[in-house]
Amino acid sequence: MSNANREAPPSAGRAGIKRELPEHFRDYRHVWVFIELERGEVHPVSFELLGEGRKLADKLGIQLAGIVLGPPCEATQHAVAEAFAYGADLVYLVEAPLLADYRNEPFTKAMTDLVNTHKPEILLLGATTLGRDLAGSVATTLLTGLTADCTELDVDVDGSLAATRPTFGGSLLCTIYTLNYRPQMATVRPRVMAMPPRTDKPVGRVIRHKLSMTEEEIITKVLGFNLDRQSAKANLAYADIVVAGGLGLGSAENLQLVKNLARAIGAEYGCSRPLVQKGWMPADRQVGQTGKTIRPKLYIAAGISGAIQHRVGVEGADLIVAINTDPNAPIFEFAHLGIVTDAIRFLPALTEAFTRRLSPHSHDKLAS
């Protein structure tokens, strides 16, 4: 047989997979975003996801919906209004006293009933403690796929959700598809996506759904609520200025240089993953995809090499300043300003310079 007549071998990878959506999934449409409401406050990641969901919905030519689950109160109605202000075309609302506090059973029941009734094509949730717990149980109940901790969301040529996330310990990025199941589910960490603009507009179409569950059916009981004040100490995700240190600092004692600079310029301080693994800093100070994803106006990285998992967690910063003795360090590939020098000697000098030039009221100017 000649080469001209020989049948081409099947292509490998994504292009070679035969995608045939089962008949009962073909009427699943629209993009849904879970509006995370807890203790009367909407988590900002919900608005970030509405911005990303808007892009997906526009590419697919379908609607963007917000999903609000909460008790009958003013805070729940405010969450509905905010969903429209950040771009939702409509809102699905489940109001019930059982939803006053987050418990997996009633929230999973409410969400899965909504999905089975109204059939969304894509369902996005924030990768928060609450969102991760809910997403896993919803995906398991619906027998569909879930891609966690995504760094990028897009739509493939055939309309499938392309969800990209780090893998192999953050050393690689992979794109995952849920080809033959619906909804296509994904979670995204806070600050991975940009915050969309807020626009005041009237509340649009609200579709109400009843929660078919009683208190007697719920195993978990809420006895009280105690705020974890320790967890509020580090506010890396929403800081305007962040200073972080890595293995290049040489010792745990030298992290004080990072803290001193952070104090001088009114910044939060953090570290790279190896320092947490060594026990030099607590986990809530870790910057990167496997720690806190940040989008500050200024990020100063001292002695950090810049592995992929660190890069995807910080590249949303407006200005990245990297300080490293190795001119070939990966961090210089994505930093806006690179300084090849010893951070141990440079940080004290930088701190002194900022201290001389900045008045106690100048920190806001630095971040503006």
Side-chain angles (χ1 to χ4, degrees):
M1 183 184 292
S2 68
N3 287 338
N5 295 327
R6 186 177 296 131
E7 195 170 285
S11 57
R14 167 76 175 92
I17 299 175
K18 182 179 179 182
R19 178 184 183 276
E20 187 173 346
L21 196 63
E23 184 69 33
H24 63 285
F25 284 139
R26 293 180 185 175
D27 57 347
Y28 278 62
R29 290 177 60 78
H30 307 310
V31 177
W32 285 13
V33 172
F34 172 60
I35 308 301
E36 183 175 323
L37 176 66
E38 189 173 27
R39 314 300 299 181
E41 298 288 335
V42 176
H43 197 293
V45 72
S46 304
F47 304 138
E48 296 164 8
L49 287 179
L50 282 171
E52 200 65 20
R54 179 78 274 162
K55 299 174 189 176
L56 300 176
D58 289 347
K59 286 182 180 180
L60 292 168
I62 55 181
Q63 290 187 315
L64 171 66
I67 311 303
V68 177
L69 313 179
C73 67
E74 184 178 342
T76 301
Q77 294 304 315
H78 179 70
V80 170
E82 288 299 284
F84 285 107
Y86 282 96
D89 297 311
L90 71 157
V91 168
Y92 292 94
L93 173 63
V94 182
E95 278 187 308
L98 300 185
L99 302 174
D101 293 289
Y102 176 73
R103 289 180 287 177
N104 182 272
E105 296 154 286
F107 272 70
T108 298
K109 175 66 173 172
M111 183 70 84
T112 54
D113 283 355
L114 275 175
V115 169
N116 289 327
T117 301
H118 298 285
K119 299 178 170 55
E121 186 171 355
I122 295 171
L123 174 56
L124 307 178
L125 302 91
T128 61
T129 303
L130 187 159
R132 285 174 173 149
D133 185 68
L134 179 60
S137 59
V138 168
T140 302
T141 303
L142 296 173
L143 301 178
T144 190
L146 167 64
T147 307
D149 291 347
C150 298
T151 58
E152 184 180 351
L153 300 173
D154 205 349
V155 175
D156 204 0
V157 290
D158 61 5
S160 297
L161 177 66
T164 301
R165 73 178 307 277
T167 187
F168 291 107
S171 60
L172 293 174
L173 294 174
C174 66
T175 300
I176 300 174
Y177 299 86
T178 302
L179 296 179
N180 300 319
Y181 298 91
R182 291 295 182 270
Q184 301 162 96
M185 292 182 61
T187 63
V188 180
R189 290 188 180 206
R191 300 298 274 172
V192 168
M193 306 302 180
M195 180 70 72
R198 184 188 183 281
T199 304
D200 284 320
K201 59 181 181 180
V203 172
R205 184 184 176 203
V206 178
I207 300 175
R208 295 177 177 272
H209 190 93
K210 289 186 177 180
L211 176 63
S212 56
M213 179 176 266
T214 64
E215 182 63 47
E216 289 69 29
E217 298 175 80
I218 305 172
I219 297 174
T220 308
K221 307 300 177 184
V222 178
L223 303 180
F225 179 81
N226 295 313
L227 180 65
D228 183 359
R229 300 187 184 278
Q230 294 297 318
S231 65
K233 285 187 176 180
N235 190 30
L236 287 167
Y238 292 93
D240 284 331
I241 311 172
V242 175
V243 182
L247 277 177
L249 294 178
S251 69
E253 290 72 24
N254 286 332
L255 283 171
Q256 189 60 45
L257 303 177
V258 169
K259 297 177 183 178
N260 292 344
L261 176 58
R263 187 182 305 110
I265 61 178
E268 282 281 357
Y269 65 87
C271 67
S272 60
R273 182 168 65 179
L275 272 60
V276 172
Q277 293 172 333
K278 283 180 170 290
W280 293 2
M281 266 199 187
D284 65 347
R285 291 287 177 180
Q286 181 182 327
V287 175
Q289 170 64 17
T290 53
K292 293 290 193 304
T293 300
I294 60 174
R295 299 182 74 92
K297 296 175 181 177
L298 171 62
Y299 175 53
I300 301 175
I304 295 176
S305 63
I308 288 180
Q309 69 84 22
H310 189 82
R311 175 174 185 164
V312 298
V314 305
E315 60 186 352
D318 292 344
L319 177 63
I320 300 175
V321 178
I323 308 163
N324 203 296
T325 55
D326 181 6
N328 298 313
I331 197 166
F332 289 130
E333 296 175 8
F334 59 92
H336 302 97
L337 177 63
I339 304 171
V340 181
T341 189
D342 185 356
I344 298 174
R345 290 188 300 170
F346 186 76
L347 287 179
L350 186 60
T351 302
E352 183 181 350
F354 273 126
T355 302
R356 285 199 312 265
R357 288 182 171 270
L358 292 176
S359 70
H361 306 291
S362 300
H363 298 145
D364 290 340
K365 294 181 181 179
L366 183 64
S368 64

Short mmCIF file of all heavy atoms in Angstrom, two decimals, residues 252-307:
data_model
loop_
_atom_site.label_atom_id
_atom_site.label_comp_id
_atom_site.label_asym_id
_atom_site.label_seq_id
_atom_site.Cartn_x
_atom_site.Cartn_y
_atom_site.Cartn_z
N ALA A 252 16.76 30.94 58.90
CA ALA A 252 15.49 31.46 59.43
C ALA A 252 15.69 32.83 60.06
O ALA A 252 14.81 33.69 60.00
CB ALA A 252 14.92 30.48 60.46
N GLU A 253 16.86 33.05 60.64
CA GLU A 253 17.14 34.34 61.28
C GLU A 253 17.10 35.49 60.27
O GLU A 253 16.69 36.60 60.59
CB GLU A 253 18.50 34.31 61.98
CG GLU A 253 18.55 33.42 63.23
CD GLU A 253 18.51 31.94 62.89
OE1 GLU A 253 18.90 31.57 61.75
OE2 GLU A 253 18.09 31.15 63.77
N ASN A 254 17.53 35.21 59.04
CA ASN A 254 17.58 36.28 58.03
C ASN A 254 16.20 36.68 57.52
O ASN A 254 16.08 37.68 56.80
CB ASN A 254 18.46 35.85 56.85
CG ASN A 254 19.93 35.89 57.20
OD1 ASN A 254 20.36 36.67 58.06
ND2 ASN A 254 20.72 35.04 56.55
N LEU A 255 15.17 35.92 57.87
CA LEU A 255 13.82 36.33 57.52
C LEU A 255 13.43 37.62 58.23
O LEU A 255 12.49 38.31 57.81
CB LEU A 255 12.81 35.22 57.86
CG LEU A 255 12.79 34.04 56.89
CD1 LEU A 255 11.93 32.91 57.44
CD2 LEU A 255 12.27 34.49 55.53
N GLN A 256 14.14 37.95 59.29
CA GLN A 256 13.86 39.21 59.97
C GLN A 256 14.13 40.39 59.03
O GLN A 256 13.49 41.45 59.16
CB GLN A 256 14.74 39.34 61.22
CG GLN A 256 14.38 40.52 62.11
CD GLN A 256 12.94 40.46 62.62
OE1 GLN A 256 12.48 39.41 63.07
NE2 GLN A 256 12.23 41.57 62.52
N LEU A 257 15.03 40.22 58.06
CA LEU A 257 15.30 41.26 57.09
C LEU A 257 14.06 41.53 56.23
O LEU A 257 13.77 42.68 55.88
CB LEU A 257 16.48 40.86 56.20
CG LEU A 257 17.80 40.54 56.90
CD1 LEU A 257 18.84 40.09 55.88
CD2 LEU A 257 18.30 41.77 57.67
N VAL A 258 13.34 40.48 55.89
CA VAL A 258 12.09 40.60 55.13
C VAL A 258 11.03 41.32 55.96
O VAL A 258 10.34 42.22 55.48
CB VAL A 258 11.59 39.21 54.69
CG1 VAL A 258 10.18 39.28 54.12
CG2 VAL A 258 12.53 38.60 53.66
N LYS A 259 10.91 40.92 57.21
CA LYS A 259 9.93 41.54 58.10
C LYS A 259 10.23 43.02 58.33
O LYS A 259 9.31 43.84 58.38
CB LYS A 259 9.89 40.79 59.43
CG LYS A 259 9.44 39.33 59.32
CD LYS A 259 9.50 38.62 60.67
CE LYS A 259 9.13 37.16 60.54
NZ LYS A 259 9.21 36.44 61.84
N ASN A 260 11.51 43.34 58.45
CA ASN A 260 11.88 44.75 58.66
C ASN A 260 11.50 45.61 57.47
O ASN A 260 10.98 46.72 57.63
CB ASN A 260 13.39 44.85 58.92
CG ASN A 260 13.80 44.25 60.24
OD1 ASN A 260 12.97 44.01 61.12
ND2 ASN A 260 15.09 43.97 60.39
N LEU A 261 11.76 45.10 56.26
CA LEU A 261 11.39 45.85 55.06
C LEU A 261 9.88 45.99 54.95
O LEU A 261 9.36 47.07 54.63
CB LEU A 261 11.96 45.16 53.82
CG LEU A 261 11.57 45.78 52.48
CD1 LEU A 261 12.00 47.25 52.41
CD2 LEU A 261 12.17 44.99 51.32
N ALA A 262 9.16 44.91 55.24
CA ALA A 262 7.70 44.95 55.19
C ALA A 262 7.14 45.99 56.15
O ALA A 262 6.22 46.74 55.82
CB ALA A 262 7.13 43.56 55.50
N ARG A 263 7.72 46.05 57.34
CA ARG A 263 7.27 47.02 58.33
C ARG A 263 7.55 48.45 57.85
O ARG A 263 6.72 49.35 58.03
CB ARG A 263 7.96 46.77 59.67
CG ARG A 263 7.43 47.63 60.82
CD ARG A 263 8.19 47.37 62.12
NE ARG A 263 8.18 45.96 62.48
CZ ARG A 263 9.24 45.17 62.44
NH1 ARG A 263 10.41 45.66 62.08
NH2 ARG A 263 9.16 43.91 62.79
N ALA A 264 8.68 48.66 57.21
CA ALA A 264 9.07 50.00 56.77
C ALA A 264 8.16 50.55 55.68
O ALA A 264 7.92 51.75 55.60
CB ALA A 264 10.51 49.99 56.27
N ILE A 265 7.62 49.66 54.83
CA ILE A 265 6.80 50.13 53.70
C ILE A 265 5.33 49.77 53.85
O ILE A 265 4.54 49.94 52.92
CB ILE A 265 7.34 49.57 52.36
CG1 ILE A 265 7.30 48.03 52.34
CG2 ILE A 265 8.75 50.08 52.11
CD1 ILE A 265 7.77 47.44 51.02
N GLY A 266 4.93 49.28 55.04
CA GLY A 266 3.52 48.97 55.28
C GLY A 266 3.03 47.79 54.49
O GLY A 266 1.91 47.80 53.96
N ALA A 267 3.85 46.74 54.39
CA ALA A 267 3.53 45.57 53.59
C ALA A 267 3.23 44.35 54.45
O ALA A 267 3.55 44.32 55.64
CB ALA A 267 4.69 45.24 52.65
N GLU A 268 2.63 43.33 53.83
CA GLU A 268 2.55 42.00 54.42
C GLU A 268 3.82 41.26 54.04
O GLU A 268 4.43 41.54 53.00
CB GLU A 268 1.33 41.24 53.88
CG GLU A 268 0.00 41.66 54.49
CD GLU A 268 -0.24 41.05 55.87
OE1 GLU A 268 0.61 40.25 56.32
OE2 GLU A 268 -1.27 41.37 56.48
N TYR A 269 4.24 40.31 54.86
CA TYR A 269 5.43 39.53 54.53
C TYR A 269 5.06 38.06 54.36
O TYR A 269 4.09 37.57 54.93
CB TYR A 269 6.51 39.68 55.60
CG TYR A 269 6.15 39.12 56.96
CD1 TYR A 269 6.38 37.78 57.28
CD2 TYR A 269 5.57 39.93 57.94
CE1 TYR A 269 6.05 37.26 58.52
CE2 TYR A 269 5.24 39.42 59.18
CZ TYR A 269 5.48 38.09 59.46
OH TYR A 269 5.13 37.58 60.69
N GLY A 270 5.84 37.37 53.54
CA GLY A 270 5.57 35.96 53.29
C GLY A 270 6.85 35.23 52.92
O GLY A 270 7.97 35.75 53.12
N CYS A 271 6.71 34.03 52.36
CA CYS A 271 7.87 33.21 52.02
C CYS A 271 7.50 32.23 50.91
O CYS A 271 6.33 32.07 50.56
CB CYS A 271 8.38 32.46 53.24
SG CYS A 271 7.22 31.19 53.83
N SER A 272 8.51 31.57 50.39
CA SER A 272 8.29 30.52 49.39
C SER A 272 8.05 29.18 50.09
O SER A 272 8.27 29.04 51.29
CB SER A 272 9.49 30.43 48.44
OG SER A 272 10.67 30.13 49.17
N ARG A 273 7.62 28.19 49.32
CA ARG A 273 7.25 26.90 49.89
C ARG A 273 8.38 26.20 50.66
O ARG A 273 8.12 25.63 51.74
CB ARG A 273 6.71 25.98 48.78
CG ARG A 273 6.26 24.62 49.29
CD ARG A 273 5.49 23.85 48.25
NE ARG A 273 6.30 23.49 47.10
CZ ARG A 273 5.85 22.79 46.06
NH1 ARG A 273 4.58 22.41 46.03
NH2 ARG A 273 6.64 22.49 45.05
N PRO A 274 9.63 26.18 50.16
CA PRO A 274 10.68 25.47 50.90
C PRO A 274 10.86 25.96 52.33
O PRO A 274 11.22 25.18 53.23
CB PRO A 274 11.93 25.74 50.06
CG PRO A 274 11.42 25.94 48.68
CD PRO A 274 10.13 26.68 48.86
N LEU A 275 10.59 27.23 52.58
CA LEU A 275 10.76 27.77 53.93
C LEU A 275 9.69 27.25 54.88
O LEU A 275 9.96 27.02 56.06
CB LEU A 275 10.76 29.30 53.91
CG LEU A 275 12.13 29.95 53.67
CD1 LEU A 275 12.71 29.52 52.33
CD2 LEU A 275 12.03 31.47 53.75
N VAL A 276 8.49 27.04 54.36
CA VAL A 276 7.43 26.43 55.17
C VAL A 276 7.79 24.98 55.45
O VAL A 276 7.62 24.47 56.57
CB VAL A 276 6.07 26.54 54.45
CG1 VAL A 276 5.00 25.74 55.20
CG2 VAL A 276 5.65 28.01 54.33
N GLN A 277 8.31 24.29 54.44
CA GLN A 277 8.69 22.89 54.61
C GLN A 277 9.81 22.74 55.63
O GLN A 277 9.89 21.73 56.34
CB GLN A 277 9.11 22.31 53.26
CG GLN A 277 7.95 22.20 52.27
CD GLN A 277 8.40 21.81 50.87
OE1 GLN A 277 9.54 22.07 50.47
NE2 GLN A 277 7.52 21.18 50.11
N LYS A 278 10.67 23.75 55.74
CA LYS A 278 11.75 23.71 56.73
C LYS A 278 11.29 24.16 58.11
O LYS A 278 12.03 24.05 59.09
CB LYS A 278 12.91 24.62 56.27
CG LYS A 278 13.77 24.03 55.17
CD LYS A 278 14.87 25.00 54.79
CE LYS A 278 15.89 24.36 53.87
NZ LYS A 278 16.72 23.35 54.55
N GLY A 279 10.08 24.69 58.20
CA GLY A 279 9.57 25.16 59.47
C GLY A 279 10.01 26.56 59.84
O GLY A 279 9.88 26.99 60.98
N TRP A 280 10.53 27.31 58.86
CA TRP A 280 11.01 28.66 59.13
C TRP A 280 9.87 29.67 59.24
O TRP A 280 10.00 30.70 59.88
CB TRP A 280 11.98 29.12 58.04
CG TRP A 280 13.27 28.36 58.02
CD1 TRP A 280 13.64 27.31 58.82
CD2 TRP A 280 14.38 28.59 57.14
NE1 TRP A 280 14.89 26.86 58.51
CE2 TRP A 280 15.38 27.63 57.47
CE3 TRP A 280 14.63 29.48 56.11
CZ2 TRP A 280 16.59 27.57 56.80
CZ3 TRP A 280 15.85 29.42 55.43
CH2 TRP A 280 16.82 28.48 55.78
N MET A 281 8.73 29.38 58.58
CA MET A 281 7.56 30.25 58.64
C MET A 281 6.31 29.38 58.63
O MET A 281 6.32 28.26 58.11
CB MET A 281 7.52 31.22 57.45
CG MET A 281 8.13 32.58 57.71
SD MET A 281 7.57 33.82 56.51
CE MET A 281 8.62 35.19 56.98
N PRO A 282 5.20 29.88 59.20
CA PRO A 282 3.97 29.11 59.19
C PRO A 282 3.36 29.05 57.79
O PRO A 282 3.64 29.89 56.93
CB PRO A 282 3.05 29.88 60.16
CG PRO A 282 3.60 31.27 60.16
CD PRO A 282 5.07 31.13 59.97
N ALA A 283 2.49 28.07 57.57
CA ALA A 283 1.91 27.83 56.25
C ALA A 283 1.07 29.00 55.74
O ALA A 283 0.95 29.21 54.53
CB ALA A 283 1.07 26.55 56.27
N ASP A 284 0.47 29.77 56.67
CA ASP A 284 -0.39 30.87 56.21
C ASP A 284 0.43 32.04 55.66
O ASP A 284 -0.15 33.03 55.18
CB ASP A 284 -1.33 31.34 57.31
CG ASP A 284 -0.61 31.98 58.50
OD1 ASP A 284 0.63 31.83 58.59
OD2 ASP A 284 -1.29 32.60 59.33
N ARG A 285 1.76 31.94 55.70
CA ARG A 285 2.62 32.97 55.12
C ARG A 285 3.21 32.54 53.78
O ARG A 285 4.00 33.26 53.17
CB ARG A 285 3.77 33.30 56.08
CG ARG A 285 3.33 34.01 57.35
CD ARG A 285 2.95 35.44 57.07
NE ARG A 285 2.46 36.12 58.27
CZ ARG A 285 2.05 37.39 58.28
NH1 ARG A 285 2.07 38.08 57.16
NH2 ARG A 285 1.60 37.95 59.39
N GLN A 286 2.85 31.37 53.30
CA GLN A 286 3.41 30.86 52.05
C GLN A 286 2.76 31.54 50.85
O GLN A 286 1.54 31.58 50.71
CB GLN A 286 3.23 29.35 51.94
CG GLN A 286 3.82 28.75 50.67
CD GLN A 286 3.57 27.26 50.57
OE1 GLN A 286 3.54 26.56 51.59
NE2 GLN A 286 3.39 26.77 49.36
N VAL A 287 3.60 32.04 49.95
CA VAL A 287 3.14 32.69 48.73
C VAL A 287 3.33 31.74 47.56
O VAL A 287 4.39 31.12 47.42
CB VAL A 287 3.93 34.00 48.49
CG1 VAL A 287 3.54 34.62 47.15
CG2 VAL A 287 3.68 34.99 49.62
N GLY A 288 2.32 31.62 46.71
CA GLY A 288 2.41 30.74 45.55
C GLY A 288 1.13 29.94 45.36
O GLY A 288 0.22 29.99 46.20
N GLN A 289 1.07 29.16 44.30
CA GLN A 289 -0.13 28.40 44.00
C GLN A 289 -0.48 27.41 45.10
O GLN A 289 -1.64 27.15 45.38
CB GLN A 289 0.04 27.68 42.66
CG GLN A 289 -1.04 26.65 42.32
CD GLN A 289 -2.42 27.26 42.15
OE1 GLN A 289 -2.54 28.47 41.98
NE2 GLN A 289 -3.45 26.44 42.19
N THR A 290 0.53 26.83 45.74
CA THR A 290 0.27 25.89 46.82
C THR A 290 0.14 26.57 48.17
O THR A 290 -0.03 25.92 49.20
CB THR A 290 1.38 24.82 46.89
OG1 THR A 290 2.65 25.47 46.97
CG2 THR A 290 1.36 23.94 45.65
N GLY A 291 0.23 27.90 48.17
CA GLY A 291 0.01 28.69 49.38
C GLY A 291 -1.05 29.73 49.11
O GLY A 291 -2.17 29.41 48.77
N LYS A 292 -0.68 31.01 49.24
CA LYS A 292 -1.60 32.10 48.96
C LYS A 292 -1.31 32.70 47.58
O LYS A 292 -0.17 33.02 47.26
CB LYS A 292 -1.44 33.21 50.02
CG LYS A 292 -1.87 32.81 51.42
CD LYS A 292 -3.38 32.66 51.52
CE LYS A 292 -3.85 32.57 52.96
NZ LYS A 292 -3.23 31.51 53.74
N THR A 293 -2.34 32.80 46.76
CA THR A 293 -2.23 33.50 45.49
C THR A 293 -2.43 34.99 45.75
O THR A 293 -3.37 35.36 46.44
CB THR A 293 -3.27 32.99 44.48
OG1 THR A 293 -3.06 31.59 44.26
CG2 THR A 293 -3.17 33.74 43.16
N ILE A 294 -1.56 35.81 45.21
CA ILE A 294 -1.60 37.25 45.52
C ILE A 294 -1.69 38.07 44.23
O ILE A 294 -1.25 37.64 43.16
CB ILE A 294 -0.38 37.69 46.34
CG1 ILE A 294 0.92 37.42 45.57
CG2 ILE A 294 -0.35 36.97 47.69
CD1 ILE A 294 2.17 37.96 46.25
N ARG A 295 -2.25 39.27 44.35
CA ARG A 295 -2.31 40.22 43.24
C ARG A 295 -2.00 41.63 43.76
O ARG A 295 -2.79 42.56 43.59
CB ARG A 295 -3.68 40.21 42.58
CG ARG A 295 -4.10 38.89 41.98
CD ARG A 295 -5.46 39.00 41.32
NE ARG A 295 -5.40 39.73 40.08
CZ ARG A 295 -5.20 39.17 38.88
NH1 ARG A 295 -5.03 37.86 38.78
NH2 ARG A 295 -5.16 39.91 37.79
N PRO A 296 -0.86 41.83 44.41
CA PRO A 296 -0.55 43.15 44.99
C PRO A 296 -0.14 44.15 43.92
O PRO A 296 0.16 43.79 42.77
CB PRO A 296 0.61 42.85 45.93
CG PRO A 296 1.33 41.72 45.25
CD PRO A 296 0.24 40.87 44.63
N LYS A 297 -0.09 45.40 44.32
CA LYS A 297 0.44 46.43 43.42
C LYS A 297 1.96 46.34 43.35
O LYS A 297 2.56 46.68 42.32
CB LYS A 297 0.00 47.80 43.91
CG LYS A 297 -1.52 47.98 43.85
CD LYS A 297 -1.95 49.30 44.44
CE LYS A 297 -3.47 49.44 44.40
NZ LYS A 297 -3.94 50.71 45.04
N LEU A 298 2.59 45.86 44.43
CA LEU A 298 4.05 45.69 44.46
C LEU A 298 4.40 44.40 45.18
O LEU A 298 3.93 44.15 46.29
CB LEU A 298 4.71 46.88 45.18
CG LEU A 298 6.21 46.76 45.49
CD1 LEU A 298 7.02 46.64 44.20
CD2 LEU A 298 6.68 47.96 46.32
N TYR A 299 5.21 43.56 44.53
CA TYR A 299 5.69 42.32 45.14
C TYR A 299 7.21 42.30 45.07
O TYR A 299 7.80 42.40 43.99
CB TYR A 299 5.12 41.10 44.42
CG TYR A 299 5.68 39.78 44.92
CD1 TYR A 299 5.65 39.47 46.28
CD2 TYR A 299 6.23 38.85 44.04
CE1 TYR A 299 6.17 38.27 46.74
CE2 TYR A 299 6.74 37.65 44.50
CZ TYR A 299 6.71 37.37 45.85
OH TYR A 299 7.22 36.17 46.33
N ILE A 300 7.87 42.20 46.23
CA ILE A 300 9.32 42.13 46.32
C ILE A 300 9.70 40.72 46.76
O ILE A 300 9.31 40.28 47.85
CB ILE A 300 9.88 43.17 47.31
CG1 ILE A 300 9.48 44.59 46.87
CG2 ILE A 300 11.40 43.05 47.41
CD1 ILE A 300 9.89 45.67 47.85
N ALA A 301 10.44 40.01 45.91
CA ALA A 301 10.84 38.63 46.19
C ALA A 301 12.34 38.59 46.41
O ALA A 301 13.12 38.91 45.50
CB ALA A 301 10.45 37.72 45.02
N ALA A 302 12.76 38.20 47.60
CA ALA A 302 14.18 38.18 47.95
C ALA A 302 14.67 36.75 48.13
O ALA A 302 14.18 36.02 48.99
CB ALA A 302 14.41 38.98 49.24
N GLY A 303 15.62 36.34 47.29
CA GLY A 303 16.19 35.00 47.42
C GLY A 303 15.24 33.89 47.02
O GLY A 303 15.36 32.77 47.52
N ILE A 304 14.30 34.17 46.13
CA ILE A 304 13.32 33.18 45.66
C ILE A 304 13.65 32.84 44.21
O ILE A 304 13.77 33.74 43.36
CB ILE A 304 11.88 33.72 45.76
CG1 ILE A 304 11.52 33.94 47.24
CG2 ILE A 304 10.89 32.78 45.10
CD1 ILE A 304 10.15 34.56 47.45
N SER A 305 13.79 31.55 43.90
CA SER A 305 14.20 31.14 42.55
C SER A 305 13.10 31.34 41.53
O SER A 305 13.36 31.71 40.38
CB SER A 305 14.64 29.67 42.57
OG SER A 305 13.55 28.84 42.93
N GLY A 306 11.83 31.09 41.91
CA GLY A 306 10.72 31.32 40.98
C GLY A 306 10.24 30.08 40.26
O GLY A 306 10.04 30.10 39.04
N ALA A 307 10.00 28.98 40.99
CA ALA A 307 9.45 27.76 40.39
C ALA A 307 8.05 28.04 39.85
O ALA A 307 7.42 29.04 40.19
CB ALA A 307 9.40 26.65 41.43
#
